[in-house]
Amino acid sequence: MSIRIKTQEQIDGIRKSSKLAAETLEFIEPHVKAGVSTEHLDNLIHQFILDHGAIPATLNYNGYPKSSCISLNEVVCHGIPSPDTVLKDGDILNIDVTTILDGYYGDTSRMYTVGEVNEKALKLIDVTKHCLDLGIQQVRPGNYLGNIGYVISRYATSQGFSVVYEFCGHGVGVEFHEDPQVDHSSRKNSGPKLRPGMTFTIEPMINLGRPRVKLDKHDGWTARTIDDQLSAQFEHTILVTETGCEVLTDISDEYPIS
């Protein structure tokens, strides 16, 4: 495992790109409503990113055809926006964007709801967000990387949900995907120790039912829950600081810099 320790110049660039990625998710929120297609949302996201001097990292990445991933209901991740996928009341969805600004990457995702959503779905979303928060609390120099996944898995399962283990967080910043791999289900005190200057995502994917996923055989990207039950995900890009961490994709001051 070759983990990049970022220079101050790189950190500054990653911070700017991460801020733009977060602003993109904020921009798209009022457009997420019943009757809107996921392709329409993707078109708006694409133009917003271009208008701010950046490019969407997912577009043409290993053949991926769109500027964002929009994962609806039972889709765990990598949902491809489509004119045929139209939002309706009761839907939950994750929108995942990664920006490349001046060569640096920022990666973030969050959940959205459409109209009246049932209690099970709302609890799933709340638990998933808390899983992310718990994972972020583990980010400090000298702590083990595996403790992020340990606390996420312990909490999610205590609430009756399951943790997807076939996808994970990852180093990010200079490239789209770097070391380390950030598993969301790990043994306590496992993996490398965190060091200042590391940047990576934490992006727990939590399922209402079983943890396994199935990949769409036709598009090769869309990952759905194996039992067609709901899934939720939140994601932030995080910098390990000398004394704690900075959540680079936090633009609402939810997470104080430590």
Side-chain angles (χ1 to χ4, degrees), residues 44 248 250:
L44 292 173
L248 299 177
D250 173 26

Side-chain angles (χ1 to χ4, degrees), residues 153-182:
S153 180
R154 182 177 61 178
Y155 178 70
T157 54
S158 77
Q159 298 299 305
F161 300 113
S162 65
V163 182
V164 173
Y165 54 84
E166 291 163 279
F167 296 97
C168 59
H170 53 88
V172 69
V174 178
E175 296 181 19
F176 195 170
H177 296 97
E178 309 171 3
D179 286 334
Q181 176 174 303
V182 183

Side-chain angles (χ1 to χ4, degrees), residues 139-203:
V139 182
R140 57 184 179 273
N143 197 15
Y144 290 95
L145 179 69
N147 286 339
I148 295 171
Y150 173 74
V151 298
I152 287 172
S153 180
R154 182 177 61 178
Y155 178 70
T157 54
S158 77
Q159 298 299 305
F161 300 113
S162 65
V163 182
V164 173
Y165 54 84
E166 291 163 279
F167 296 97
C168 59
H170 53 88
V172 69
V174 178
E175 296 181 19
F176 195 170
H177 296 97
E178 309 171 3
D179 286 334
Q181 176 174 303
V182 183
D183 294 321
H184 302 114
S185 183
S186 307
R187 289 179 292 108
K188 189 174 184 178
N189 295 336
S190 63
K193 287 189 175 182
L194 302 179
R195 296 167 57 197
M198 292 172 61
T199 55
F200 52 81
T201 69
I202 301 176
E203 46 185 297

Side-chain angles (χ1 to χ4, degrees), residues 8 27 33 56 90 110-111 120 123 135 140 154 188 195 206 219 224 231 236 252:
Q8 189 58 53
F27 155 77
K33 52 190 176 183
R110 55 159 286 196
M111 294 300 294
K120 280 187 178 180
K123 183 181 178 184
R140 57 184 179 273
R154 182 177 61 178
K188 189 174 184 178
R195 296 167 57 197
I206 308 300
D219 64 41
R224 295 181 174 87
S231 185
H236 274 307
S252 59

Side-chain angles (χ1 to χ4, degrees), residues 27-41 44 70 72 85-93 95 112-116:
F27 155 77
I28 202 63
E29 182 171 13
H31 301 279
V32 178
K33 52 190 176 183
V36 172
S37 74
T38 54
E39 182 172 82
H40 177 66
L41 296 177
L44 292 173
I70 303 181
L72 192 64
T85 304
V86 177
L87 303 182
K88 64 183 186 303
D89 282 345
D91 283 340
I92 66 171
L93 62 152
I95 300 181
Y112 301 81
T113 59
V114 183
E116 293 293 324

